[in-house]
Structures are given as structure tokens and as C-alpha cells.
Amino acid sequence: RTAARAVDLAKIYGTGDTKVVALGGVTVEFTAGRYTAIMGPSGSGKSTLMHCMAALDSSTSGQVFIGDTELSELDDRELTRLRRDKIGFIFQAFNLVPTLTARENITLPLDIAGRDIDKDWFDTVIATVGLADRLGHKPNQLSGGQQQRVACARALVSQPEIIFADEPTGNLDSRSGTEVLSFLRRSVREFGQTIVMVTHDPNAAAYSDRVLFLADGRIVDEMTDPTAEKVL
Ligand code: ADP
Ligand code: ADP
């Protein structure tokens, strides 16, 4: 099954002298239950690809499907609902609400949507991410690694079709980074989650099943079952 795919996806910024082809026609498929890393030099289009796939940014041409739904067929309200129900996000900067506890941050998207929280699933996610004794803490009472694990739990708790992670370990020391990457890996293995992760770090990419390499807005190479040595 395909969790998400892009067909000839292009994104052009500006016009004339300031025109930048951020994506030059990308076709890619993200199979359900697989973990994909996206690598490439700064400016190669990694963020743009992820933002267009995640319905955070519109493309210039081409198509994006989340499950069977093509994004351009949706109006703004339907797009908001799709982002909320079908997509999980993990950002480099954690993006937690500072005044809320870990538990409240994790359930916030479901609370806003008025959706019930499946208690067994919530407990499973919390146990897997190792936060059971931190649920009452505010973000400033948590380490960077713990904050990112809260963000991971928040992304996972709504059981999204796909999770997009933008440099999830970029602000973390290597030990905290490893904890976050191990959790993402287990989410794929144990829960069948689909993950797409942008990273600069070959050690992080090695946790994935497949690495896509971008250059100048195109996929130029692909590797399955990566190791850090192979990615370098
Ligand atoms: P990466 O994530 O690989 O660093 P980006 O997707 O951020 O690459 O950027 C791809 C290209 O698009 C770069 O040349 C960048 O300068 C350009 N770009 C990205 N966002 C914008 C924007 N909002 N306006 C103009 N150019 C942009
Ligand atoms: P990264 O390489 O970590 O993706 P960037 O510096 O490429 O970070 O982009 C950070 C943000 O700035 C992105 O949201 C991108 O859309 C925006 N951006 C990047 N390049 C440009 C640009 N030339 N003009 C306007 N916005 C840009």
C-alpha cells in the first residue's frame, strides 16, 4: 500500500531574474510501513519537498497524494482536516506549547479536533517513547531529547497515515538524538508507521529503510538498507 506519493511535483519561487526552481519534477512513492530519509545539500529542495507533501505549502505543478486523496482536490477546510487527521509533524525546534504539560501537548491535536483519545494506544505510545514519568512536566522542565520525544508522541498519537520529520535530531546531542531515532525506528517496526525524515546526518539516515538523495530539486540517487558508511 502507498501511504503518500508525488507525481512530477514542481515548485518554482519567484519569476524572471529571481526565479528559483526548488523542485524540478519529483516523482516518488512512500510505501506504508517504511521509513525514508531524505538527504542532499542545503538548498537542494528537501524542505520544499516535505512541505509540499505535507500540505504545508502548495506546489506549482504536479500532484501529491496522501493515501488515495489528491491534495489539489481539497478546499482549505478539507486540507486543514487532512493535515490534522492524516499527517504527523516533527520539527527540528520541537514546537511544543510552553504553558502546557507533556501530556497536554501530546493530546492537543486530538483535543482541538474534538476526537476521543484511545487510552490503550496513548499508553502504548508513552511506554514506547519512555515518557511515563514525565507527563506532568512542562517543556522547560524537560531536556531537549525529552521534548523531542514528546513531539514524537504528539505526532504518533492520532495514528496518522504518515509522519514527516524535518531534521528531528538537528538540535540534539548524539545520545538524545539516538533515543529519538530509536523511537522512530520502533514506530515503524512495531506499529507499521510510515515516516519521511529530512536529515543531514548519515548516522540518522542509517535508521531508515531507504535514503533518497536530492540535488537541485531532483532525486538523483536512492539507496535501500543504508548504513552510515554507505551514506557517506
Ligand atoms: P533544503 O531544504 O534542501 O535546504 P529548500 O527546499 O529549503 O532546500 O530550498 C530549495 C531552494 O528553494 C533553495 O534555492 C531556496 O533558496 C529556495 N527557496 C526555498 N524557499 C523559498 C521561498 N520561500 N522563496 C524563495 N526561494 C525559496
Ligand atoms: P533548511 O536548509 O534547514 O531547510 P533553509 O534556510 O533552506 O533551511 O530554509 C528555512 C526557511 O526559509 C524555509 O521555510 C524556506 O522556505 C525559507 N527560505 C529558504 N530560502 C529562501 C529564500 N531564498 N527566500 C525566502 N525564503 C527562503
Side-chain angles (χ1 to χ4, degrees):
R1 206 174 60 81
T2 302
R5 63 194 173 99
V7 182
D8 205 17
L9 189 67
K11 176 73 176 181
I12 295 166
Y13 290 106
T15 53
D17 288 350
T18 63
K19 182 170 147 178
V20 174
V21 180
L23 289 180
V26 169
T27 297
V28 63
E29 220 172 287
F30 299 104
T31 303
R34 300 256 290 168
Y35 187 173
T36 303
I38 299 178
M39 301 188 79
S42 188
S44 58
K46 304 183 295 296
S47 302
T48 303
L49 175 60
M50 198 148 76
H51 290 167
C52 289
M53 295 286 314
L56 294 170
D57 199 354
S58 61
S59 57
T60 306
S61 62
Q63 294 172 304
V64 173
F65 295 85
I66 301 292
D68 297 326
T69 308
E70 209 251 296
L71 296 190
S72 72
E73 287 168 2
L74 305 182
D75 63 27
D76 284 350
R77 227 180 44 137
E78 292 167 327
L79 271 178
T80 302
R81 194 180 312 136
L82 174 122
R83 275 193 295 267
R84 198 182 65 199
D85 296 343
K86 297 277 169 77
I87 300 177
F89 298 101
I90 302 168
F91 302 95
Q92 183 170 353
F94 318 145
N95 290 14
L96 301 177
V97 180
T99 53
L100 299 181
T101 64
R103 175 193 293 277
E104 290 164 342
N105 267 286
I106 292 165
T107 60
L108 185 63
L110 293 174
D111 291 340
I112 290 174
R115 275 174 62 187
D116 288 335
I117 289 145
D118 181 331
K119 195 178 173 307
D120 289 343
W121 174 241
F122 179 87
D123 290 344
T124 301
V125 171
I126 295 307
T128 311
V129 78
L131 286 168
D133 57 352
R134 290 289 185 278
L135 288 175
H137 290 59
K138 304 255 172 78
N140 69 6
Q141 299 169 314
L142 299 171
S143 71
Q146 289 167 339
Q147 289 183 59
Q148 191 62 307
R149 284 185 283 143
V150 171
C152 289
R154 178 183 56 187
L156 203 62
V157 81
S158 61
Q159 302 190 273
E161 181 87 38
I162 187 163
I163 290 177
F164 293 99
D166 197 350
E167 300 265 4
T169 59
N171 279 341
L172 300 177
D173 61 53
S174 73
R175 204 180 63 109
S176 306
T178 299
E179 286 170 2
V180 166
L181 292 163
S182 302
F183 173 71
L184 296 177
R185 183 68 248 169
R186 287 177 67 188
S187 304
V188 172
R189 195 173 51 228
E190 293 177 24
F191 311 140
Q193 186 61 54
T194 311
I195 297 179
V196 178
M197 169 179 77
V198 166
T199 185
H200 283 111
D201 179 2
N203 291 308
Y207 281 77
S208 72
D209 300 310
R210 172 177 71 151
V211 185
L212 302 176
F213 296 92
L214 255 65
D216 295 328
R218 292 177 186 279
I219 295 173
V220 293
D221 202 359
E222 183 175 335
M223 178 190 291
T224 50
D225 301 319
T227 62
E229 292 72 28
K230 272 161 65 185
V231 172
L232 274 172

